[in-house]
Amino acid sequence: RVLQSVFVLTKRAMAALVGNARRVAFRTKDALGSIARWHAANSRRAPVLTGFATCFTAGCCADTAIQSLNGSQLDYKRSLKFAIFTGCYGGVACHYIYVVAFGKLLGEGSGAATVLAKVALDQFVHCPFIYAPVFYIYHSLANAGTVAEGMERWRNEGMDMMKACWGLYIPFQLANFSVVPRDSRIAALCVCNGIWMLMLACFSQKQR
């Protein structure tokens, strides 16, 4: 009888735990869905401001995470410098590049030829020859360096950066340009950027 009572109590406790876990999961799912809908709506109403705020926050979190993983004392000025870059370039510049410029140059279609052209233009022209130099120049100037020093780092380290970029963004951008609605591309990009910003913060770490 004692064993039977223990079994019944254990079964009830497990059922209660499973029930609570399910309720938490559903509530979390609803909360995340609400956040996603709120973000999508704001991306349509104010795409530049929403993009800046999202990428700024993600950049700040990524650099703070890298510092924490390294076991160093948090340098908030460093995180702010990194977040300003990610907010301005990832949130603002990328909106005009991916949504506006690419749309005008290559059209809004999602056919294979259009998608491949956008990915090729992004990964083999924009990223290596605009994005990467700007990144290195910005971080050189932000750390009391010069434009020439930033360009030198780009020449020395840019290929390593681009190999990491291609491995992550080529498959992502193929999906982004083919299945994601135009107004949601920067929001989708922010999801992938969460991983990239951790990698980018590591490249930024090398410059200090």
Side-chain angles (χ1 to χ4, degrees):
R1 290 181 181 179
V2 173
L3 290 175
Q4 185 177 7
S5 298
V6 170
F7 176 77
V8 171
L9 289 173
T10 302
K11 184 177 179 181
R12 289 176 180 175
M14 291 298 296
L17 286 173
V18 171
N20 288 333
R22 286 178 177 174
R23 284 192 289 271
V24 170
F26 284 128
R27 289 173 183 173
T28 302
K29 182 180 178 181
D30 290 341
L32 291 175
S34 298
I35 292 171
R37 288 190 293 273
W38 174 85
H39 191 280
N42 281 280
S43 294
R44 289 189 292 271
R45 287 195 296 266
V48 174
L49 181 60
T50 303
F52 174 83
T54 303
C55 291
F56 179 93
T57 303
C60 189
C61 292
D63 191 71
T64 301
I66 289 294
Q67 292 187 58
S68 299
L69 290 172
N70 288 337
S72 57
Q73 184 177 358
L74 290 181
D75 183 346
Y76 295 104
K77 289 184 179 180
R78 167 187 150 165
S79 294
L80 178 61
K81 292 173 185 177
F82 184 72
I84 289 172
F85 173 80
T86 57
C88 290
Y89 202 100
V92 179
C94 284
H95 168 77
Y96 290 106
I97 293 168
Y98 295 140
V99 178
V100 180
F102 278 25
K104 289 182 178 179
L105 285 172
L106 301 171
E108 298 295 343
S110 58
T114 301
V115 170
L116 289 173
K118 288 181 178 180
V119 173
L121 182 60
D122 177 41
Q123 294 299 308
F124 301 110
V125 178
H126 162 236
C127 286
F129 300 112
I130 300 176
Y131 173 75
V134 169
F135 169 78
Y136 281 105
I137 290 170
Y138 171 82
H139 279 282
S140 178
L141 294 174
N143 292 282
T146 64
V147 172
E149 289 172 343
M151 291 298 291
E152 182 66 21
R153 286 188 176 275
W154 170 60
R155 284 189 288 269
N156 292 336
E157 302 173 10
M159 182 53 66
D160 290 335
M161 181 191 202
M162 290 316 305
K163 287 177 182 177
C165 180
W166 291 331
L168 179 65
Y169 277 100
I170 287 178
F172 171 79
Q173 290 289 50
L174 285 170
N176 196 25
F177 287 124
S178 59
V179 301
V180 178
R182 178 177 180 272
D183 292 332
S184 299
R185 282 176 191 157
I186 298 302
L189 192 64
C190 287
V191 176
C192 189
N193 280 354
I195 300 172
W196 174 245
M197 284 176 188
L198 288 172
M199 299 165 67
L200 199 61
C202 291
F203 283 103
S204 179
Q205 174 81 11
K206 292 181 181 180
Q207 301 189 55
R208 297 178 173 87

